[in-house]
Structures are given as structure tokens and as C-alpha cells.
Amino acid sequence: MGSIELTEKNYLRICFINWALSVPILLIFAWPYFFICEFFMVPKIISLPGSIIFALPFMLTLLHGHVTMAVGAAHREHYYEWLQQYTFTYGLLFHPIIVKTRFRLSLFTLSILLIIVGMLLSISFI
């Protein structure tokens, strides 16, 4: 690790920035889903978790892009390997499966299925 970008100090900085950005980004992407649920009278028990599940793939994509910009595409795997040492602390939000596109698409699909189920439930209760 001769490059300055690949130091533990830099990895910690990237990690703390990602943690600090995670909640605001999550809220930015969650509110449109929540308002659509409100418009279609989807029950809150479905709309709140659905909003979070909907926002997660977008948030994770942006944070993954931040890591890529910070250390470069060629060295991104070194950062994720470093996080594996701290799975239950720094790396909790960035488990290896979370950076996989298939996982993020699965979350997005699940959120769409939740809103459809919520709409069907709201129609049946009217």
C-alpha cells in the first residue's frame, strides 16, 4: 500500500463520511415513495418500511460511488476488504453483498411489491 489513498487513515475518513451521508441521502430518496403511499392511502405499516427499502438501493449506489471516487475503481476492493475487518462496527452498512447490483435491484423490486400490496389493501378496506 504505497499510495496515500490506500491508508487506514483515509479509509476511516471515507467510512465516517459515508456514515454521515447515509441518513440524509436515505431521507432524500424515501420521501417520494412515502408521499405516493399517502396519495394512494397505503397503510403506514407498509409505507414506512417500504420507503426505507425503496431508498436503500439509491443510497447504497451513491455511497458506493463515493468510495469509487475517493480511492479509484482499481482500488475500491481494497477498501471493502479493509471494512471486512470491522464487520460489526465500520463495515456494518457495507457488507459485501450490499455493493452487489443484484441485491440493490432486489430491494427496489421488494419496495414496488410492497406498494402494490398496500394499494390492494387500501382498496379492499374502502
Side-chain angles (χ1 to χ4, degrees), residues 65-79:
H66 171 249
V67 171
T68 303
M69 294 300 292
V71 296
H75 303 292
R76 178 178 53 213
E77 296 306 317
H78 297 297
Y79 173 74

Side-chain angles (χ1 to χ4, degrees), residues 6-71:
L6 304 179
T7 63
E8 185 163 356
K9 183 178 178 182
N10 195 40
Y11 287 165
L12 277 172
R13 181 186 58 80
I14 294 166
C15 186
F16 289 140
I17 290 170
N18 278 351
W19 276 105
L21 289 173
S22 62
V23 172
I25 292 173
L26 188 72
L27 293 175
I28 287 169
F29 286 112
W31 73 265
Y33 185 97
F34 181 77
F35 283 128
I36 289 171
C37 289
E38 289 292 307
F39 181 75
F40 289 110
M41 295 179 287
V42 173
K44 293 263 192 282
I45 196 159
I46 293 175
S47 67
L48 292 174
S51 297
I52 293 170
I53 293 170
F54 176 79
L56 275 172
F58 300 106
M59 178 196 75
L60 293 170
T61 301
L62 285 175
L63 296 179
H64 182 62
H66 171 249
V67 171
T68 303
M69 294 300 292
V71 296

Side-chain angles (χ1 to χ4, degrees), residues 78-88 91 94-97:
H78 297 297
Y79 173 74
Y80 289 123
E81 287 172 12
W82 174 80
L83 276 180
Q84 284 304 307
Q85 301 170 24
Y86 306 102
T87 305
F88 296 111
F94 304 100
H95 189 273
I97 194 155

